[in-house]
């Protein structure tokens, strides 16, 4: 109706750049959100299985974070303080030390980079080059580390790389991720390249790896493979960097995605759910011996977002004071695995991907995956694809999602898969 | 005293990276801030002449922005929505169109980049390369455009460039800024380089210029010089990009820093004070004919910070609905000019720098400038240096600063200059 | 003796750069050479199993080439004519067309590059980039294509790459050569990388491959593998470049090293034995449709060495007018294979490498290979190593070597291997 | 006539790459050459004012060089010996030490690079980077240093740079040559860039400069300017490299082109006339303390061309044993200057360029210069243009040219200028 403006998106079409993307998959205008439910301007509710691409691991607008933030703002708490010392940053660092580092026996310095994941990655590769005096960084096939020029050089996707318009994306070698070469042992290949002085590869400053490749199709590396990469890095004088931006902060069932793998990374990136509430915040964790930055050698106006420190502290105290949350995430991850296994069985050739609460189904084609997600949206579920060909339907629900909503969302997904593949609904009953 | 923890900064020293910097100049722990006053944990108040490096043009915690943001949070307004359509983004875009673009007869698409200035710059240079099919970007001596690898390539400062650890910073040509070569006409030189097919310079995709170089020492380009650069860009098939991150959004006395210069840039970057309240937000304004991005060709998790849209909309409606604010900024800029002229006269060889409310004094040495700022801080004034040698004492007060506080801050500055230069206090009386 | 200056190398030590190398393996001063014999200043004769690293396929100072060159010089024939038209170049091109191109049904333009192999390679990669509008070149592990910056980027050896002192060696992807990954099918891996849009590899302008890797350890690619590379190149819009500098011009038993492989390369490089007499000459053969150079777009003062055209024409008429020479090379190649097989059997774990008259033995370590070669030299045989670890003893005898000298040289080699490995001489009898 | 094949160039059109260039300016087929006369297949004689672009400073086929080379070949002297020790190389080095280095009090190591100028330049920049640990090389506007990727990065001409097809030409900063900016002092500008830590220029490994820019338009740097560049290099920890490939070896009136300038370069390149007879030969002279190459770290099959050593030794003994030759070159250079001054007066706005026997006239347009050269060729004179716009008619006669032939050539040039500019021939009489 002409007088109903709820579906009006003309301002976006008129004024927002063509670079916009998620809005094309979810063509409605959202107004509010709470927990795992997003509500559009027209009042329609959607279950959120995207969770800000893993930026909302604790759900939308956690009441404790809200309360703390409103309190902070009401009292004229610092909103922007560059990288000055603030009581809010102190409280956050203290909580991070008590809740995360100490219980895990980890000793890292926290570098507040610009509040985006790509900035944390840029800081990591700059520092690795400074520390080692080498330039080459090893990244992996299907990797996604960001869209600024330094991070883009690490990113595998050719479409995204072409966005650089031909600007220089040098000093990176891409190596095959685990299982990238079918049944071939990629570690063995990488080792051969490193140890062959005529392989054409320059000595690496660092290896940077996502334990579960989020954008790359939910490829989950094994403990053995990651230990192998760390061992190769050590042996060849390179640093070992975990990019935990998407897989970390509880997503796989523990705070860091590789806690049970016995690794000892030189740096770890943090972003996305780091602030707890989806506010921009990123950091680079650095082993003290590598923290050789000179003051301001990497800086940025918004490094250290004080509002985000407030919510992040709440998140640390609320969810990481004991094992309860972590155990519940693991329980839900197992539910998810079982449900997806059942759904995958409906699609010939489909494969389960991922780990913990970061799982999906490779349905074999981007076209099919896209159709499934579109049907889900029509039925009230926000869900997206990933992978080199967008062939993986990816479930990134909030870790706090109530069981009933989780089940309801998975039911919508299953129905959409049945629709798309012609498996009858009756068969499901 | 052991029991007084107000001066305790041990958590920062223990856990924060050595890259931290402003906290070294202002060694106290801040707790809250309002308008132009920052208050430390020990209750001491400081006048803020830094304003988040121009990120707080409207001062700390503007009451209307606070109210709107608290209201938004209370109602479970979206905190993080990727780049989906939201009512908050619609309201912001609508206000930006009505308050800024239309009154100035400007037609631009708004690209929500990652919420940092460097990300907006990265997007600009990627797009310029895509549009022109060329790689080379012309930046200027003393330029600062950010610290990620693409932006860093544009940045002049060698210390910051060395932070890249030798990673590739290619495809950029640095040209002399206006007055960089003493009394020589740099436009003439740049024209000669462009028109000489054997100058060694590849055809440029774009020129990117800060109308007032913030980090570079408050070098203010003239109307004629900027028009000359735009004309050279046009004649040589290159785009003309204004980086208005530090100088824009009212700082020089109008919304854009070059409004009265008759320019027609192909792109304009926005960040720092763009959100109004110091929250992370950045954008790239793009002429519609250049908006050739494919969906998600440049993306980022935190592009479009919904809290920031809320406060930014308030800022647009409150400060840019009529000329009152702008006129007041111009009035204050003139006060600042006069006071700084008087202060500069105390320092042999000192020179005034900058424009509008973005002014400073080149005192000839970084050592002297540093001593002046340190004395100011002891006396309750937050103020910083800039310039290639940190030789410029820079005043970046909030544009909303009350006259009495402004005067008080300038008095502290004047006294510090007298102290540092041995001009007697009596002479000042 | 002090008065005997035959062993005096002081002028070299005093005045020649430390970059000199072969003279360190063969520490005598040579005075003259004929066929397969080099004679030192002290009169001692050496059998030459190095043949100028395959630059002297027709032996030293072929009498017909000598006569033609002396005649040319005596008549004031052009010595240096830039790239002007000369009767000598015409005669050479005519012979190349009649003796090489036409009989093989090949249609190529001949580009006279600077007279070094590296220059022909540089021309090839520049042209491939111009033709395709892409930048990335695929080269292979253990490849050697030259030492100038463009060619060096293609070269695998890290020691040689480090010689660039950190200068940019960008826009190249190294892929595993056949058998580089043990029993894994490298074609399959390369195909996967090319077809995975997120592998991190930019679309290639060209693949450049040595059919037998000379410096890389005499790795001989199979017909199937080379056809596979050509097929991948075609399918992905890349040019297919054969670098035949070391393996071509008869070395493997036919003029081009891949004549019987059914390939159709877009470009072929020629150097080393191209002039017949070891004079500097190089060329790039280009399919006519790719010959899009503008005049002088790649040039060089010494492109087209007229003395070399004279000797090259003699070589074409003398050795390539019929099959006799080619058949004899193949016969000798088989002799070589049999003798090396016998010698390899003396070294536990040793492997035969190479093809035709370009063969060697991988003795497993550079130390052992070096000792063998040193012993050979003491006994009058010039022979060198190759491979990433200098682990291959390489026989590159002149193709014209008389059978008795060939046998004598192989006997010296066998004896040296016996000495080095402790296999008794008696056992050899 | 169909049966007259003297004008037949079809084999070149059919088989030689479109990259060929000089043959287009001089469309005849040359057969022989002696001194300053080239003779075409049809018997027509041409005076040579190009001299192989300064590769034939001693003229074509010097009788003593011919005799020595024929003698060498007749006796089976080494034609190709890689970089082994040979009596011919020893004799050459000994002569170079006695005739060139010692009399000038110079102590340099001689590195035999691949026998092309571009290879010597590549070696120089690689070594400068190794020595300093820095990457950036300063080259100058209008510079020409060669066409391989490393040298091309130094070369100013955009057409030639575009020949790289977009491949990476990084790590070079182009600075204005003397007088490149009209009456502005370019030294002052360069100093400002070097001393401003925010100029955007990375610390340089080296400055490389042609004392007279051959391809760039015969721009001759002054003693003061070159001393200034050397001083800046020293002060900033960079090496100072003279590229003497075109201007050296007698061309400006002394062996090195800067002998009277009191310079002390760290490296000097040699090529073009280095062999004396136009045979491919190049070298890099290196101060002993910088000769830190590891064996073979920069190599190449044709480094050290033994035939060229033979002729080069003759050239050193014949022309550089005393001052006679040098004095005669200076005398001719003065004749040339006077004649060109008279000719330049015929062209409004024309300017004299160059130094010694490396001079020309800037006639203001490439079209006019091209017409003049074409008319010269019709009248029996080989002469070429240079400069960014090919606007300089360049005289590069052999230094040994007899006075009568020199006068005759200059008369042809003068007549062509008169024709082209409409100055009557009568006026010339």
């Amino acid at each position: 109706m002409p007088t109903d403006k709820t579906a009006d998106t003309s301002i976006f079409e008129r004024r927002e750049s063509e670079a916009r993307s998620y809005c094309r998959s979810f063509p409605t205008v959202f107004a509010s959100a709470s927990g795992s439910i997003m509500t559009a301007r027209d009042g329609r509710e959607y279950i959120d299985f995207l969770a800000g691409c893993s930026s909302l691991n604790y759900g939308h607008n956690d009441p404790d974070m809200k309360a703390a933030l409103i309190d902070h703002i009401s009292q004229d708490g610092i909103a922007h303080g560059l990288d000055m010392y603030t009581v809010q940053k102190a409280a956050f660092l203290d909580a991070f030390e008590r809740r995360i580092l100490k219980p895990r026996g980890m000793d890292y310095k926290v570098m507040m980079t610009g509040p985006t994941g790509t900035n944390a990655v840029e800081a990591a590769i700059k520092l690795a080059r400074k520390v080692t005096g080498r330039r080459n960084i090893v990244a992996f096939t299907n990797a996604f580390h960001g869209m600024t020029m330094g991070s883009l050089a690490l990113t595998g996707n050719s479409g995204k790389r072409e966005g650089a318009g031909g600007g220089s994306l040098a000093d990176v070698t891409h190596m095959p991720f685990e299982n990238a070469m079918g049944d071939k042992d990629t570690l063995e290949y990488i080792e051969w390249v490193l140890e062959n002085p005529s392989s054409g590869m320059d000595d690496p400053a660092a290896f940077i790896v996502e334990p579960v490749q989020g954008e790359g199709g939910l490829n989950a590396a094994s403990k053995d493979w990651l230990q192998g990469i760390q061992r190769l890095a050590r042996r060849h004088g390179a640093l070992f960097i975990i990019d935990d931006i998407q897989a970390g902060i509880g997503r796989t069932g523990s705070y860091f995605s590789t806690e049970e793998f016995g690794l000892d990374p030189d740096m770890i990136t943090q972003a996305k759910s780091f602030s707890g509430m989806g506010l921009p915040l990123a950091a680079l964790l650095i082993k003290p011996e590598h923290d050789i930055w000179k003051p301001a050698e990497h800086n940025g106006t918004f490094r250290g977002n004080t509002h985000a420190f407030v919510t992040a502290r709440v998140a640390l105290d609320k969810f990481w004071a004991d094992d309860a949350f972590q155990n519940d995430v693991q329980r839900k991850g197992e539910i998810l695995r079982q449900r997806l296994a059942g759904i995958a069985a409906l699609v010939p050739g489909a494969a389960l991907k991922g780990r913990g609460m970061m799982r999906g189904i490779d349905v074999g084609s981007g076209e099919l995956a896209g159709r499934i997600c579109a049907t889900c949206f029509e039925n009230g579920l926000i869900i997206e694809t990933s992978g080199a060909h967008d062939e993986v339907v990816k479930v990134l629900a909030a870790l706090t999602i109530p069981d009933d909503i989780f089940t309801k969302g998975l039911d919508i997904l299953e129905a959409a898969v049945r629709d798309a593949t012609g498996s009858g609904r009756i068969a499901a009953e």
Side-chain angles (χ1 to χ4, degrees), chain A:
Chain A
M1 290 184 303
T3 55
D4 178 0
K5 288 191 59 178
T6 56
D8 183 6
T9 57
S10 63
I11 184 72
F12 302 108
E13 282 138 28
R14 192 165 69 244
R15 284 293 157 214
E16 195 171 5
S17 163
E18 295 303 315
R20 68 193 189 278
S21 59
Y22 284 108
C23 52
R24 300 173 193 267
S25 300
F26 312 115
T28 191
V29 182
F30 293 97
S32 63
S34 180
S36 285
I37 302 294
M38 295 187 76
T39 307
R41 184 162 52 181
D42 61 5
R44 186 158 184 207
E45 294 190 346
Y46 295 84
I47 297 173
D48 184 5
F49 269 23
L50 181 51
C53 278
S54 212
S55 295
L56 293 160
N57 283 358
Y58 312 111
H60 292 267
N61 284 313
D62 175 272
D64 297 304
M65 296 183 205
K66 276 176 58 177
L69 182 56
I70 288 173
D71 188 54
H72 173 80
I73 297 169
S74 304
Q75 296 178 38
D76 281 334
I78 305 284
H80 178 100
L82 293 163
D83 72 345
M84 297 182 200
Y85 296 144
T86 63
V87 294
Q88 294 80 16
K89 182 157 67 172
F92 165 74
L93 285 171
D94 180 69
F96 192 73
E97 187 179 64
R98 277 185 302 111
R99 302 298 187 203
I100 304 299
L101 297 179
K102 285 206 172 153
R104 291 163 181 79
M106 295 168 72
D107 184 12
Y108 287 85
K109 301 289 281 295
V110 181
M111 177 183 177
M112 301 302 174
T113 66
T116 64
T118 195
N119 203 300
V121 170
E122 294 258 356
I125 62 179
K126 284 165 69 170
L127 185 56
R129 286 169 174 151
K130 282 176 62 75
V131 166
T132 61
R134 301 172 175 181
R135 289 156 67 180
N136 189 28
I137 308 282
V138 177
F140 292 91
T141 53
N142 286 38
F144 178 85
H145 297 288
M147 299 294 271
T148 51
M149 295 288 282
S151 302
L152 199 54
L154 304 171
T155 295
N157 189 284
S158 59
K160 297 195 187 303
R161 294 167 63 87
E162 279 159 20
S168 188
L169 298 177
D171 302 331
V172 170
T173 302
H174 282 88
M175 285 282 139
F177 198 75
E178 189 177 13
N179 299 322
M181 299 162 67
D183 58 352
K184 291 169 191 165
D185 184 348
T186 63
L187 269 186
E188 194 182 303
Y189 172 61
I190 298 166
E191 183 168 10
W192 174 82
V193 169
L194 282 165
E195 300 199 342
N196 178 345
S198 290
S199 66
M201 176 168 161
D202 295 323
D203 286 342
F207 287 70
I208 183 165
V209 63
E210 300 158 280
V212 185
Q213 295 186 317
E215 300 307 300
L218 300 180
N219 308 305
S222 72
K223 173 181 176 179
D224 283 354
W225 190 81
L226 286 167
Q227 284 187 336
I229 295 295
Q230 177 177 289
R231 193 169 53 241
L232 287 176
R234 296 274 192 272
R235 191 185 307 155
H236 291 272
L239 302 192
F240 178 58
I241 305 171
I242 291 285
D243 182 348
D244 225 17
I245 290 174
Q246 186 159 161
I249 308 176
R251 176 56 58 186
T252 63
S254 49
Y255 184 82
F256 296 107
S257 71
T258 56
E259 283 182 22
E260 295 173 337
F261 289 180
L263 300 173
D264 187 28
D266 296 291
M267 301 187 217
I268 305 171
T269 59
Q270 300 273 283
K272 289 194 182 274
S273 282
F274 192 46
S275 77
M277 196 169 158
L279 306 181
L281 188 66
L284 179 65
L285 308 184
I286 306 167
K287 288 220 163 191
E289 62 266 33
H290 300 316
D291 184 27
I292 62 169
W293 288 113
K294 284 182 271 185
E297 206 173 16
H298 186 87
N299 62 15
T301 295
F302 294 121
R303 65 191 182 283
N305 173 356
T306 315
H307 284 192
F309 287 145
V310 171
T311 56
R313 186 200 50 76
V314 172
L316 293 169
D317 285 342
K318 178 170 181 176
F319 295 104
W320 300 101
D322 60 33
D323 287 351
F325 175 68
Q326 176 165 327
N327 292 339
D328 192 55
V329 174
Q330 290 165 11
R331 180 186 63 83
K332 282 179 186 151
E334 180 55 21
I335 293 171
L336 177 59
R337 193 191 61 73
Q338 290 179 15
R339 282 297 305 268
L340 291 184
I343 296 170
L346 301 171
V347 187
L352 282 190
K353 306 294 296 283
R355 192 152 69 79
M357 280 290 276
M358 187 176 186
R359 294 185 191 268
I361 306 172
D362 179 345
V363 298
S365 88
E367 187 278 330
L368 176 56
R371 262 194 299 134
I372 292 167
C373 292
T375 303
C376 286
F377 185 69
E378 286 167 21
N379 294 318
L381 179 67
I382 293 166
I383 188 169
E384 257 290 359
T385 63
S386 80
H389 304 277
D390 297 318
E391 75 281 14
V392 177
V393 176
K394 161 178 83 170
V395 178
L396 288 176
L399 310 180
T400 56
I401 192 167
D403 284 8
D404 57 339
I405 298 179
F406 197 24
T407 299
K408 190 169 167 194
L410 289 165
D411 290 346
I412 294 172
L413 173 60
E414 178 169 336
V417 170
R418 287 185 186 278
D419 274 7
T421 58
S423 325
R425 290 198 70 88
I426 293 159
E429 286 159 357

